[in-house]
Amino acid sequence: MGRVEGKVAVVTGGASGLGAASAVLLAKEGAKVVVTDLNDAGGQAVADQIAAAGGDAFFLHHDVTDEAAWEAVYKAAVDRFGRVDVVMNSAGLGIGGAPEEETLESWHKLMAVNLDAIMLGTKHAIRTMKEHKPATQGSIINLSSIEGIVGDPNLGAYNASKGGVRLYTKSVALYCALNGLNIRVNSIHPGYIWTPMVENYAKASGDLEGAKKALAAMHPIGHVGEPDDIAYGVLYLASDETKFMTGSELVIDGGYTAQ
Ligand SMILES: NC(=O)c1ccc[n+]([C@@H]2O[C@H](COP(=O)([O-])OP(=O)(O)OC[C@H]3O[C@@H](n4cnc5c(N)ncnc54)[C@H](O)[C@@H]3O)[C@@H](O)[C@H]2O)c1
């Protein structure tokens, strides 16, 4: 038996990075996975990879900033698999810059994907889980960041969005627990993990190798993380091993925030 055998998981941002690694690991451990993303080719490839390994998954095009699209995703998950047990909110954007150069347009774009979408996905997950009961417990896993705990001089909007995810998660965890909804809600706080998001950030500096070394040096453990370092945290929170865990912040950061 896998650690999440038979659970139904919806993974946003499933075409790339942390979402893709988590979708593959959840499926390997027995979950049926709905992979969603804006990137159709990448998302379909992840669903195909899961199916080729003997797992059960399908891909849906999904803009996480669109409320009607969320309703359609949960409906499709229920139509195909009967319920939703796990939601991993991984879709996200990384945009940096000096505060006095910030534009309202860029700020709103980041907030829409990194924060508004977490609210939409959580709201409709609760509605779906109330109507179609999870097999054991519901688990909503929201991707925050070390940047939701400590500040970075050039990541003001990102800091604000991820700090918002951190406390929104705790609020909803309390709401679900106090109302006996049998849904756990937790956040994950990765340090820098080598994914397309971080690679693009490093490339933008014009010195990929230098940027990679500088990022590594920020983590006491001496290197940046790999997507599976976070996927194992997702697996843990998705499984019933964490049945007493809600409103928690799971920090996986090579010691970044311990300093
Ligand atoms: N990689 C890191 O170091 C790191 C660290 C801390 C937190 N995070 C967070 O983890 C999450 C995943 O990051 P990643 O590194 O895997 O990034 P990534 O860029 O590799 O993947 C993000 C995915 O989100 C999708 N996406 C973007 N906007 C979307 C939208 N409107 N609707 C649906 N999908 C959309 C993209 O197409 C992409 O496939 C993000 O929320 C990110 O902020 C990442």
Side-chain angles (χ1 to χ4, degrees), residues 16-18 37 62-64 90 144-145 158 162 191-193 195 198:
S16 176
L18 308 185
D37 207 290
H62 180 201
D63 179 350
V64 292
S90 191
S144 177
S145 171
Y158 192 79
K162 294 300 184 180
Y192 283 85
I193 312 295
T195 66
V198 169

Side-chain angles (χ1 to χ4, degrees), residues 15 40 58 70 79-81 90 118 122-123 129 131 134 139 145-146 169-170 207 215-216 220 227 244 251-252 257:
D40 295 344
F58 69 98
W70 270 108
D79 285 351
R80 171 85 172 257
F81 295 133
S90 191
I118 299 274
T122 302
K123 167 184 169 179
M129 289 173 182
E131 196 180 339
S139 175
S145 171
I146 49 172
T169 297
K170 291 184 195 299
D207 173 13
L215 287 175
F244 194 53
V251 176
I252 308 175
T257 54

Side-chain angles (χ1 to χ4, degrees), residues 202-243:
K203 273 186 191 150
S205 73
D207 173 13
L208 179 65
E209 282 314 308
K212 197 171 181 182
K213 274 191 190 132
L215 287 175
M218 290 156 76
H219 299 74
I221 211 159
H223 55 85
V224 298
E226 298 168 0
D228 269 354
D229 293 326
I230 305 308
Y232 277 106
V234 171
L235 174 63
Y236 180 51
L237 289 174
S239 78
D240 294 339
E241 295 159 20
T242 43
K243 62 184 167 48

Side-chain angles (χ1 to χ4, degrees), residues 36-97:
T36 86
D37 207 290
L38 281 179
N39 173 353
D40 295 344
Q44 188 60 54
V46 170
D48 290 348
Q49 183 189 338
I50 290 171
D56 201 351
F58 69 98
F59 169 72
L60 287 175
H61 180 85
H62 180 201
D63 179 350
V64 292
T65 66
D66 176 350
E67 184 158 14
W70 270 108
E71 293 178 270
V73 162
Y74 287 133
K75 183 178 181 309
V78 170
D79 285 351
R80 171 85 172 257
F81 295 133
R83 59 174 195 278
V84 173
D85 301 288
V86 176
V87 178
M88 177 200 183
N89 280 309
S90 191
L93 294 180
I95 306 174

